[in-house]
Amino acid sequence: MSLKHLYKYRSWKNNFHKKLLIDNEIFFTSTKRFNDPFEACIPLRYEDSSDKYYLNLLKKHIKANA
């Protein structure tokens, strides 16, 4: 069995739902508002990147959360 369509019913009273349909915009909440602190954790694979990559990643993380 293959799934060709997926339907999700939305309330027209919600402005985010209207923007999705009318303006093709989608809203993503901040990971800080998740109720599970590990839900957005992405494990890092150290063997795949250089020290410079992780230094830049750390700088971006500090800047975003300052």
Side-chain angles (χ1 to χ4, degrees), residues 41-58:
C41 291
I42 300 171
L44 299 176
R45 296 182 60 186
Y46 295 102
E47 67 273 6
D48 291 344
S49 300
S50 67
D51 290 341
K52 185 177 178 181
Y53 169 81
Y54 286 106
L55 183 60
N56 287 332
L57 187 65
L58 181 60

Side-chain angles (χ1 to χ4, degrees), residues 20-64:
L20 173 67
L21 295 171
I22 295 171
D23 300 328
N24 290 325
E25 289 183 15
I26 191 165
F27 171 79
F28 292 99
T29 191
S30 167
T31 56
K32 294 177 184 177
R33 295 185 54 133
F34 287 178
N35 61 354
D36 180 354
F38 300 105
E39 191 169 5
C41 291
I42 300 171
L44 299 176
R45 296 182 60 186
Y46 295 102
E47 67 273 6
D48 291 344
S49 300
S50 67
D51 290 341
K52 185 177 178 181
Y53 169 81
Y54 286 106
L55 183 60
N56 287 332
L57 187 65
L58 181 60
K59 286 178 183 177
K60 286 179 186 178
H61 177 74
I62 291 170
K63 190 180 284 187

